[in-house]
């Protein structure tokens, strides 16, 4: 029906916007706060975005944006784009997971 097609189109748009929009919005907010965050200061925006950056060391204030990208990759790219159960799916996930583990071990955010 027409209503089903309209809702289907809207859902496709949302599925495309979410994995791009959330990391971009998070990064934009954190970049706007970066000078204040790096200096150890505070203002209204830093306090409003505290839930995003408070778990990380000062130099790694934007780490949560990378976490969101990683999660979107595993959920979206691995499960939707690559065929389920394929060697490519397993290999891609393994490479990203090991790279992420090494990055965390080196950076210790």
């Amino acid at each position: 029906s027409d209503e089903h097609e309209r809702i289907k189109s809207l859902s496709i748009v949302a599925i495309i916007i979410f994995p791009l929009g959330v990391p971009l919005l998070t990064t934009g907010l954190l970049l706007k706060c970066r000078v204040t965050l790096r200096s150890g200061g505070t203002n209204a925006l830093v306090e409003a975005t505290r839930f995003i950056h408070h778990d990380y060391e000062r130099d790694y204030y934007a780490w949560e944006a990378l976490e969101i990208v990683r999660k979107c990759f595993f959920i979206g790219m691995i499960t939707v784009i690559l065929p389920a159960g394929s060697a490519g799916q397993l290999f891609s996930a393994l490479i990203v997971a090991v790279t992420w583990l090494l990055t965390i071990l080196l950076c210790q955010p």
Side-chain angles (χ1 to χ4, degrees), residues 38-50:
R38 285 192 170 164
S39 70
T42 189
N43 61 27
L45 186 57
V46 168
E47 289 301 316
T49 58
R50 183 172 164 70

Side-chain angles (χ1 to χ4, degrees), residues 6 9 23 32 35 37 60 68 70 100 103:
R6 184 180 63 78
S9 298
K32 185 113 170 116
V35 173
L37 284 170
Y60 296 100
I68 293 169
R70 180 186 63 86
W100 192 253
T103 303

Side-chain angles (χ1 to χ4, degrees), residues 83-106:
S86 70
Q89 187 181 41
L90 176 63
F91 185 70
S92 298
L94 185 62
I95 293 296
V96 171
V98 169
T99 303
W100 192 253
L101 175 64
L102 293 173
T103 303
I104 289 174
L105 289 172
L106 291 172

